[in-house]
């Protein structure tokens, strides 16, 4: 019947919409072999992450470790930048997120973190409390914004530290993130700590902390337009991969950028000590070197977050 | 830069997730757009004076670049929310769909309408049983265009923090070392494939609605 | 809402908004010249191609293929691809990948419209012209193109609007333009800037659409102004929605 055909169309569209509803997250590969009787009492959690590989891998590691301990974990990875993840955490859309002390304090709370981890962490914890959040123990590893140059540039100009770079800053083309001019750890920071006049620099904007910017730096030597300095993340595997030189932050521009698991107080209370001890046991092993290795696994070897996380946990006896 | 199928297989889960998100956002937009456009078309059918303003209005929306439209909606519907994205995506489908539905209904032969009146159909019955089925080919043609357009537009939502294939193309594409090119090409291929698949499926649907056309050609 | 609009007005009034690398004038100019060069490039490549195919009538299959691919490949994808391919060559930084992608994006509507426009010219007129002794090029230049001009210009208009609109996305690959202001705004969560910049982009796009519509109307030969030509819809980012319908 003719009428039915119209409804078939409508139903087809509806079915398509419904069937494509809320994509499920990747299944956890690690079966919870322990079969702890506490599993029934432990709250289920949703773990989120920011929109880049490191945050996602660390979140995945936490997720798998918690599953091994008996928790039921859902993942909502790569949500985006802090303006998305922070409200998601506060509202309860996610319960746990790995965050960077300095960045979180400065960008979300407008605080002024320092390279001193204790100071920055205490300040952060105070802010978090007001939002019903708590941060557990930090990782020894850090991932901060840094600046790198090609090996030849470092050799030619004798660059080893940021102070060295500051002297020749005006002669080089800088590759920085689009929002560098407003990031306290970038443009304003370079001025404040190293006296570099950011506004007068020759600047190209690219995605910081990406392969793209490292590649642009690497290729920059062979052409006129190209960058000579790149804003990178200190754990980027591309630094070693392209044989780049990360300049030492001798002026202390970068704040304490250790990672802390940030959890909703409610969930932490419900879950008891097990949550904290499990997470801390993982965090303590995440050194800067380990973070960089994880980066190599995901970026240079193309592994998925799940596999890289599972492998790391296995290698570290967790 | 090399192309690495192994990487695709290794990361299939994540790619699949992004593809599903993309399909969801697309289907939702076209579905809602269809409903609204249909309402517009019926309004225009009864009051033809509304054709100009509606087409003009949706036409202006159509001319605004997607990123800008997302931005304009943001203060009202939130930063990087699905609502913001969907309102914009739906808006972009309105021009094509409304125009095609109106055209489709206008193209219904007068004889058919008279016959329906002669058979004593109410307006609603006439619409559902005579006009719509006859208008279907043109309407579905419009849905095809709208769907292919929307698939492309959804890639832009990655820039405002939503996932989809745009995330694969741009974010993952610039962040995965030598696999970047693979990621970007995979994203593009999936987007084109998705659009092509949707187009073919709708074309089949379009044909299914016009068995008389096939019969006619068969007897020629 | 009123309060918010007040903040937006304040943003426009702030001199800082109009100065510096990410100030409106710098980015607007960048947007315009990148769009202009890309449009010129699309026309330079697409028009001869479309006219050749339309005039000779050969290669229709290629036209269909170009049209379909042009419609289906997402513009952000083209930009990402151009960026990644040029990066190892040391050419990925700056506006070049954006221009390459925009030219690629702009070619299909021009080719398709030139082809369709020429194909629709009454064959009798072409025969008559030949009968008068005109050779191929003359027929093309004196008869076919003038008659097909509205459709050809519709293609140029579609491409122009598409390019201006898509240039906004260049920020994602470091290409700047007005989109940079929106992009930064989203990254730092500055809703005022996002809105303000979007207003400018919207105005620019709508202006381009209207401007080229006027050119299209004004350039049509007076004898043809009354003629109904193939209706074209305004283009949007990356979509070939403005092409003439292929037969």
């Amino acid at each position: 019947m003719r009428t039915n055909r119209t409804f078939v169309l409508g139903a087809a569209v509806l079915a398509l919409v419904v069937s494509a509803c809320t994509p499920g997250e990747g299944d956890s590969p690690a079966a919870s072999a322990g079969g702890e009787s506490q599993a029934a009492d432990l709250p289920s959690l949703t773990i989120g992450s920011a929109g880049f590989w490191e945050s996602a891998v660390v979140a995945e590691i936490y997720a798998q470790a918690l599953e091994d301990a008996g928790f039921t974990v859902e993942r909502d990875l790569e949500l985006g930048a802090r303006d998305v993840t922070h409200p998601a955490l506060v509202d309860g859309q996610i319960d746990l997120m790995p965050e960077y002390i300095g960045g979180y304090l400065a960008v979300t709370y407008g605080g002024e973190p320092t390279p001193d981890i204790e100071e920055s962490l205490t300040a952060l914890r105070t802010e978090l409390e007001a939002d019903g959040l708590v941060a557990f123990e930090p990782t020894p590893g850090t991932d901060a914004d840094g600046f790198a140059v090609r090996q030849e540039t470092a050799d030619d100009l004798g660059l080893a530290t940021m102070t060295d770079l500051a002297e020749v800053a005006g002669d080089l083309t800088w590759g920085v993130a689009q929002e560098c001019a407003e990031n306290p750890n970038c443009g304003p920071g370079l001025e404040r700590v190293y006296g570099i006049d950011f506004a007068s620099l020759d600047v190209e904007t690219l995605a910081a902390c990406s392969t793209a910017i490292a590649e642009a730096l690497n290729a920059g030597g062979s052409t006129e337009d190209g960058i000579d300095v790149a804003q990178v993340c200190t754990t980027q595997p591309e630094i070693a991969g392209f044989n780049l030189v990360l300049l030492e932050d001798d002026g202390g521009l970068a704040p304490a950028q250790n990672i802390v698991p940030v959890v909703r107080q409610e969930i932490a209370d419900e879950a008891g000590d097990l949550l904290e001890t499990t997470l801390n046991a993982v965090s303590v092993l995440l050194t800067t070197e380990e973070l960089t290795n994880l980066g190599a696994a995901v970026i240079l070897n193309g592994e998925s977050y799940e596999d890289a996380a599972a492998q790391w946990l296995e290698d570290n006896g967790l | 830069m090399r192309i690495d199928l192994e990487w695709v297989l290794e990361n299939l889960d994540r790619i699949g997730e992004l593809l599903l998100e993309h399909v969801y956002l697309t289907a939702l937009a076209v579905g809602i757009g269809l409903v609204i456009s249909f309402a517009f078309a019926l309004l225009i059918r009864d009051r033809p004076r509304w054709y100009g303003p509606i087409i003009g209005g949706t036409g202006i929306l159509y001319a605004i670049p997607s990123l800008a439209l997302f931005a304009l909606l943001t203060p009202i519907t939130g930063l990087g929310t699905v609502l913001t994205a969907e309102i914009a995506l739906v808006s972009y489908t309105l021009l094509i769909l409304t125009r095609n539905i109106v055209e489709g209904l206008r193209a219904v032969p007068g004889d058919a309408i008279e016959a329906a009146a002669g058979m004593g159909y109410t307006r609603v019955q006439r619409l559902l049983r005579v006009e719509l089925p006859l208008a279907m080919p043109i309407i579905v043609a419009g849905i095809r265009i709208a769907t292919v357009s929307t698939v492309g537009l959804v890639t832009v939502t990655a820039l405002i923090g939503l996932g989809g294939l745009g995330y694969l193309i741009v974010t993952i594409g610039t962040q995965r070392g030598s696999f970047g090119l693979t990621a970007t090409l995979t994203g593009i291929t999936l987007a084109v494939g998705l659009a092509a698949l949707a187009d073919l499926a709708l074309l089949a649907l379009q044909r299914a609605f016009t068995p008389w056309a096939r019969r006619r050609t068969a007897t020629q | 809402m009123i309060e918010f609009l007040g903040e937006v007005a304040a943003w426009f009034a702030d001199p800082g908004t109009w100065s510096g690398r990410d100030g409106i004038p710098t980015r607007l100019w960048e947007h315009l010249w990148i769009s202009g060069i890309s449009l010129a490039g699309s026309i330079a490549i697409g028009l001869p191609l479309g006219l050749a195919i339309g005039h000779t009538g050969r290669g229709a299959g290629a036209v269909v293929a170009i049209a379909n691919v042009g419609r289906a490949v997402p513009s952000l994808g083209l930009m990402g691809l151009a960026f990644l391919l040029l990066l190892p060559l040391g050419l990925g930084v700056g506006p070049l990948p954006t221009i390459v992608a925009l030219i690629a994006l702009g070619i299909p509507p021009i080719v398709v419209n030139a082809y369709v426009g020429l194909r629709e010219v009454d064959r009798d007129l072409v025969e008559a012209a030949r009968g008068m002794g005109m050779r191929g090029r003359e027929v093309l230049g004196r008869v076919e193109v003038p008659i097909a001009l509205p459709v050809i210009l519709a293609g140029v208009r579609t491409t122009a609007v598409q390019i201006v609109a898509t240039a906004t996305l260049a920020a994602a690959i470091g290409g700047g333009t007005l989109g940079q202001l929106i992009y930064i705004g989203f990254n730092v969560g500055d809703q005022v800037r996002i809105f303000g910049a979007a207003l400018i982009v919207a105005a620019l796009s709508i202006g381009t659409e209207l401007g080229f519509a006027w050119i299209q109307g004004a350039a049509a030969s007076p004898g043809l102004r009354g003629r109904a030509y193939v209706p074209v819809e305004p283009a949007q980012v990356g979509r070939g929605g403005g092409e003439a319908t292929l037969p």
Side-chain angles (χ1 to χ4, degrees), chain A residues 148-205:
Chain A
V149 295
R150 289 183 295 277
Q151 186 68 59
E152 310 89 73
T153 318
D155 293 338
D156 290 343
L157 300 175
L159 303 175
T161 67
M162 289 295 295
T163 315
D164 296 336
L165 182 62
E167 284 165 36
V168 293
D171 303 330
L172 304 170
T173 307
W174 292 61
V176 296
Q178 278 87 344
E179 62 272 9
C180 180
E182 295 159 55
N183 181 353
N185 294 337
C186 193
L190 288 171
E191 288 198 37
R192 199 181 65 236
V193 178
Y194 294 108
I196 297 174
D197 181 12
F198 186 68
S200 68
L201 286 182
D202 186 9
V203 158
E204 290 288 348
T205 56

Side-chain angles (χ1 to χ4, degrees), chain A residues 3 5 9 20 23-26 51 53 78-79 83 210-212 215 298-307, chain B residues 1 7 10-11 13-14 17 20-21 23-24 27-28 31 79 129 132-133 136 161 167 174-177 179 205 209:
Chain A
T3 313
R5 290 224 187 100
L9 172 65
E25 293 302 323
W53 67 268
E78 294 183 300
L79 284 173
D83 54 280
S210 64
T211 304
E215 182 136 23
V298 172
I299 294 181
L300 301 182
N301 292 344
E303 290 175 36
S304 67
Y305 301 141
E306 278 165 16
D307 288 352
Chain B
M1 281 252 157
W7 181 87
E10 165 80 17
N11 289 274
D13 278 352
R14 187 74 183 109
E17 261 172 41
L20 276 175
E21 270 178 51
V23 170
Y24 172 63
L28 198 58
L79 197 64
R129 295 198 192 176
L132 267 186
M136 266 307 158
Y167 190 84
T174 53
Q175 273 189 28
R176 283 297 185 280
F179 304 101
L205 196 64
F209 273 101

Side-chain angles (χ1 to χ4, degrees), chain C residues 175-200:
Chain C
T177 78
L178 286 172
Q180 175 97 324
L181 301 177
I182 301 180
Y183 192 70
I184 296 181
F186 269 108
N187 283 354
V188 302
D190 180 354
Q191 297 205 16
V192 173
R193 182 178 355 180
I194 288 174
F195 195 82
L199 283 177
I200 301 178

